[in-house]
Amino acid sequence: MSSLRPSPIAPTVDFDRDGVQHGFLRLPYSRDDSAWGSVMIPTCVIRNGKGPTALLTGGNHGDEYEGPLALYDLARTLDPKEVSGTVIIVPAMNYPAFRAGTRTSPIDKGNLNRSFPGRPDGTVTEKIADYFQRELLPRTDIALDFHSGGRTLDFVPFCAAHIRPDKVLEAKGFDAVEAFSAPWSMKMLEIDAVGMFDTAAEEMGKLFITTELGGGGTSRAETVRIARRGVLNVLRHAGIVSGAVEKVRTQWLDMPSGECFSFAEDDGMIETMVDLGEKVEEGQVLARIHSVGRTGVAPHEIRARMSGLLAARHFPGLVKAGDCAAVVAVLVG
């Protein structure tokens, strides 16, 4: 790390200055329509004296909106007099993707949440990852990174933390998830954690929680309310914002193994046979994939590999081989 060149990103805010600052992480980006142009990533810092630092992020994927809606609102409304410490808010981490409404960057097709630790001399997406890796995460005590299903997935709304080797940090993560007070709370398993923001933070020993709040490339009134309440609850739980946590009953889910995931093996039109939140039994048909190339072909059935409830599903009506079709989680509390 120490041999790497400095990040090309220049913040227009001072992370160590008290008060409220609204500015940018400015990343130089020379292109056809702007020879000396920059990517301007909106950033807010709210600081009031000494205390813990929270890093709040959304738009890690550009087609997920609950986080940005909650965080742009928080940046506008949070009173610094209620803060003890520092709140860093980046509502749209992958700003080019966010402006395009796509999961990955239109500049380099980079998936920011698979680009960590990044590179200061890499692509635009890698440069953004590098800045968070080397500049923002080291000063962070607790990180909350908002996600939802984007255009291709839909989830029951949950807050999540990972099972970790450090059981003290694991317990603190689950306590923060409980404080968030989403309708569902998840002990999260990733299909592939390499290159994720989550992994970068956890390898530094940071307290990290995340969400999946709906999906379908849009937001709902309910999921935005959950996000707004949840982020304030986490800040209060961490002792950074004054006031009591507004607790709402949450039900815990677990993803105990890769058997949670079901993938399409054919292209076609998907028919969901179970709705989100409904209980399923091992072997039950979760979805059917209908051939669209000709008539008279029986649909292919996707069956649950374990019992539980449907926590996520493929969202668009058409599916391709390899797409995640369904996720089953186990109710544990």
Side-chain angles (χ1 to χ4, degrees):
M1 283 281 184
S2 60
S3 63
L4 294 177
R5 66 179 62 186
S7 171
I9 291 179
T12 68
V13 294
D14 181 348
F15 296 108
D16 298 314
R17 193 181 86 193
D18 277 7
V20 179
Q21 301 171 73
H22 299 285
F24 302 93
L25 305 178
R26 186 181 64 80
L27 170 59
Y29 170 48
S30 178
R31 54 196 188 271
D32 288 341
D33 65 345
S34 186
W36 286 4
S38 295
V39 175
M40 305 290 281
I41 304 171
T43 303
C44 174
V45 181
I46 302 170
R47 179 180 169 89
N48 185 14
K50 294 182 179 180
T53 295
L55 175 59
L56 309 175
T57 54
N60 193 327
H61 295 129
D63 58 351
E64 304 172 6
Y65 297 104
E66 283 83 0
L69 283 166
L71 294 179
Y72 276 110
D73 184 66
L74 184 70
R76 179 177 57 84
T77 60
L78 184 59
D79 186 345
K81 295 177 183 177
E82 298 180 355
V83 173
S84 298
T86 305
V87 181
I88 302 171
I89 304 173
V90 186
M93 290 174 73
N94 194 345
Y95 193 64
F98 177 71
R99 290 299 301 269
T102 54
R103 181 175 178 84
T104 61
S105 173
I107 296 172
D108 54 24
K109 298 301 180 184
N111 181 341
L112 180 58
N113 211 31
R114 299 296 184 275
S115 297
F116 284 83
R119 290 172 51 197
D121 57 352
T123 65
V124 165
T125 301
E126 289 172 331
K127 290 173 181 176
I128 295 171
D130 170 73
Y131 187 82
F132 277 83
Q133 175 87 27
R134 291 195 292 151
E135 301 296 336
L136 293 186
L137 279 177
R139 63 171 62 240
T140 298
D141 295 294
I142 181 170
L144 167 57
D145 185 36
F146 278 101
H147 286 267
S148 60
R151 292 191 292 182
T152 63
L153 291 171
D154 195 13
F155 289 86
V156 295
F158 65 77
C159 185
H162 296 104
I163 295 171
R164 301 175 64 167
D166 186 326
K167 295 305 174 183
V168 174
L169 277 174
E170 178 185 284
K172 289 180 178 179
F174 291 151
D175 286 346
V177 169
E178 185 97 24
F180 187 97
S181 290
W184 304 92
S185 296
M186 182 75 79
K187 297 179 180 180
M188 190 82 168
L189 174 70
E190 302 290 349
I191 298 173
D192 180 10
V194 175
M196 295 182 69
F197 186 36
D198 318 39
T199 304
E202 290 170 358
E203 287 179 347
M204 287 187 191
K206 303 297 182 179
L207 182 56
F208 186 96
I209 63 173
T210 186
T211 69
E212 295 289 357
L213 299 175
T218 187
S219 62
R220 295 185 286 115
E222 177 197 13
T223 52
V224 175
R225 284 195 297 266
I226 291 167
R228 285 177 171 154
R229 180 185 66 227
V231 67
L232 278 173
N233 276 347
V234 169
L235 291 173
R236 288 166 178 154
H237 171 77
I240 298 173
V241 169
S242 60
V245 171
E246 184 186 341
K247 284 210 169 183
V248 176
R249 182 176 180 269
T250 188
Q251 291 184 278
W252 276 91
L253 299 170
D254 188 15
M255 297 171 67
S257 73
E259 299 294 301
C260 298
F261 302 99
S262 295
F263 297 92
E265 298 181 0
D266 302 280
D267 294 358
M269 179 170 55
I270 190 166
E271 177 187 6
T272 299
M273 306 299 290
V274 180
D275 285 329
L276 288 174
E278 289 185 352
K279 291 184 178 180
V280 299
E281 299 295 332
E282 183 178 352
Q284 182 178 341
V285 177
L286 298 175
R288 302 197 299 176
I289 299 178
H290 297 264
S291 173
V292 296
R294 61 181 298 155
T295 59
V297 179
H300 173 73
E301 295 180 337
I302 297 177
R303 295 182 178 270
R305 301 164 66 192
M306 58 184 290
S307 298
L309 62 80
L310 188 67
R313 68 178 183 94
H314 184 79
F315 188 80
L318 297 180
V319 67
K320 294 179 180 179
D323 286 350
C324 183
V327 180
V328 174
V330 177
L331 188 63
V332 292

